[in-house]
C-alpha cells in the first residue's frame, strides 16, 4: 500500500529524517513510535505531501507520488489527521462533516455522514451544535469523521489521543481498530502512548533522531522483548 525509500526531509536547511525506508501492508495498522523530536510528525507530513523530501521516493499503491501535491494525494485516497484535530469551530457538526464530504454525490454524501454518526455515537444529536462548543473528545471524533467521510484508503493519524482522558484514549483506540477492520483502511499511527499503540498495531516502527532503529511486523514481539 505504502512504501518509502531512503527519505531525507526536514525544514529549510535542518534535516530531520535521515534516509528512512519502510513499507506498510494493505489494511494493516502501522504504529510509529519514538521520543519527542524523533521525526514522527515530520514523517507523516512527508507522506501527506506537506513536506517535500530532498531525497528518496514515496510509492502509494505502486505509484510514485513523491512529487504529487497534497490535494492530489487526498484525491488518491490519503487522509491526514493532524495533532489536536482540525475542525471549523464556528460551523455546526453537520456542516463540518458536509465540508469533509465535499465532492461526493449527494446520496453517497448522506450515506457517508450516516456511517460516521453510527461510528461515533457521541456526535449523534449534536448535528446542529457548533463545533467550537464540543468537548475535547467530541471534537477529536468530529475531526476524524471529517476525514472518514471521504473513505480514504490510507489514514495518517498524528497522536489522536493527545489531550484526552484515559477513558477517551481507550475509546479512540478502539475506534481506530474498528475503522481498520470494518473499512479495510490502512493506518499509519503516530502515538506517544506506547502500550495503547502496541495493543492495536500489526507493524511497529521506532524512530530515533530521524532514523529507523527498530522494525517489527507484529507488535507482540516488541511486548515480549520488554
Amino acid at each position: 500500500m505504502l512504501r518509502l525509500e531512503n527519505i531525507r526531509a526536514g525544514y529549510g536547511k535542518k534535516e530531520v529524517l535521515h534516509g528512512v525506508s519502510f513499507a506498510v501492508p494493505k489494511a494493516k495498522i502501522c504504529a510509529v513510535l519514538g521520543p519527542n523530536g524523533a521525526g514522527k510528525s515530520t514523517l507523516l507530513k512527508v507522506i501527506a505531501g506537506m513536506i517535500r523530501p530532498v531525497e528518496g521516493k514515496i510509492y502509494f499503491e505502486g505509484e510514485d507520488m513523491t512529487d504529487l501535491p497534497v490535494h492530489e494525494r487526498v484525491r488518491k485516497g490519503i487522509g491526514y489527521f493532524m495533532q489536536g484535530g482540525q475542525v471549523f469551530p464556528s460551523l455546526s457538526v453537520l456542516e463540518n462533516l458536509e465540508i469533509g464530504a465535499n465532492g461526493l454525490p449527494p446520496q453517497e454524501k448522506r450515506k457517508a455522514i450516516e456511517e460516521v454518526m453510527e461510528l461515533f455515537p457521541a456526535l449523534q444529536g449534536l448535528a446542529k451544535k457548533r463545533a467550537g462548543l464540543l468537548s475535547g473528545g467530541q471534537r477529536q471524533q468530529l475531526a476524524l469523521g471529517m476525514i472518514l467521510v471521504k473513505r480514504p484508503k490510507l489514514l495518517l493519524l498524528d497522536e489522536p489521543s493527545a489531550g484526552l482522558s484515559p477513558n477517551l484514549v481507550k475509546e479512540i483506540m478502539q475506534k481506530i481498530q474498528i475503522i481498520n477492520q470494518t473499512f479495510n483502511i490502512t493506518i499509519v499511527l503516530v502515538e506517544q502512548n506506547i502500550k495503547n499503540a502496541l495493543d492495536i498495531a500489526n507493524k511497529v516502527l521506532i524512530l530515533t533522531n530521524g532514523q529507523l532503529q527498530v522494525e517489527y511486523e507484529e507488535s507482540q514481539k516488541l511486548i515480549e522483548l520488554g
Side-chain angles (χ1 to χ4, degrees):
M1 173 62 76
L2 176 71
R3 188 171 84 253
L4 277 67
E5 294 182 355
N6 193 37
I7 293 296
R8 294 182 177 274
Y11 307 91
K13 294 183 179 180
K14 182 182 179 182
E15 185 175 283
V16 177
L17 300 175
H18 313 297
V20 174
S21 301
F22 65 89
V24 181
K26 184 177 181 180
K28 299 296 184 181
I29 299 176
C30 176
V32 182
L33 310 175
N36 290 332
K40 304 185 298 298
S41 293
T42 301
L43 178 64
L44 291 191
K45 290 176 181 177
V46 168
I47 299 170
M50 299 177 71
I51 296 177
R52 183 171 178 176
V54 295
E55 185 178 318
K57 293 289 184 179
I58 305 169
Y59 297 93
F60 179 61
E61 294 188 313
E63 178 184 350
D64 184 353
M65 66 168 192
T66 311
D67 297 323
L68 285 183
V70 174
H71 70 276
E72 285 292 331
R73 300 187 196 208
V74 171
R75 189 177 64 82
K76 288 184 177 295
I78 297 178
Y80 177 35
F81 177 94
M82 299 179 68
Q83 187 174 348
Q86 304 296 308
V87 300
F88 296 96
S90 63
L91 301 181
S92 70
V93 168
L94 180 58
E95 288 169 336
N96 271 272
L97 292 174
E98 288 176 338
I99 288 174
N102 188 40
L104 293 178
Q107 191 169 354
E108 285 187 32
K109 181 184 291 189
R110 285 194 299 271
K111 182 180 178 182
I113 291 175
E114 287 173 2
E115 288 178 344
V116 166
M117 289 295 194
E118 289 177 7
L119 180 63
F120 299 117
L123 298 179
Q124 294 179 10
L126 300 175
K128 295 183 179 180
K129 188 169 183 176
R130 283 175 50 194
L133 300 177
L134 298 177
S135 68
Q138 291 168 342
R139 193 161 50 249
Q140 292 280 72
Q141 292 181 43
L142 175 59
L144 189 50
M146 290 175 66
I147 300 169
L148 291 176
V149 286
K150 277 281 182 67
R151 191 62 65 77
K153 299 176 183 178
L154 173 65
L155 180 58
L156 310 173
L157 298 174
D158 194 353
E159 298 196 28
S161 69
L164 300 182
S165 67
N167 286 340
L168 288 176
V169 168
K170 183 177 180 180
E171 180 180 348
I172 202 74
M173 288 298 166
Q174 290 173 342
K175 296 297 185 185
I176 291 169
Q177 198 166 29
I178 290 171
I179 290 165
N180 167 251
Q181 295 174 351
T182 303
F183 303 120
N184 286 324
I185 295 175
T186 306
I187 296 173
V188 179
L189 168 67
V190 165
E191 182 57 49
Q192 286 287 353
N193 192 311
I194 295 175
K195 183 182 184 306
N196 286 333
L198 292 179
D199 282 344
I200 66 172
N202 309 109
K203 183 184 181 79
V204 177
L205 307 174
I206 298 180
L207 287 181
T208 304
N209 296 324
Q211 295 181 308
L212 183 58
Q213 300 294 336
V214 181
E215 181 175 354
Y216 286 99
E217 291 299 329
E218 293 295 336
S219 60
Q220 185 62 38
K221 294 179 182 178
L222 190 59
I223 295 171
E224 289 170 355
L225 285 173

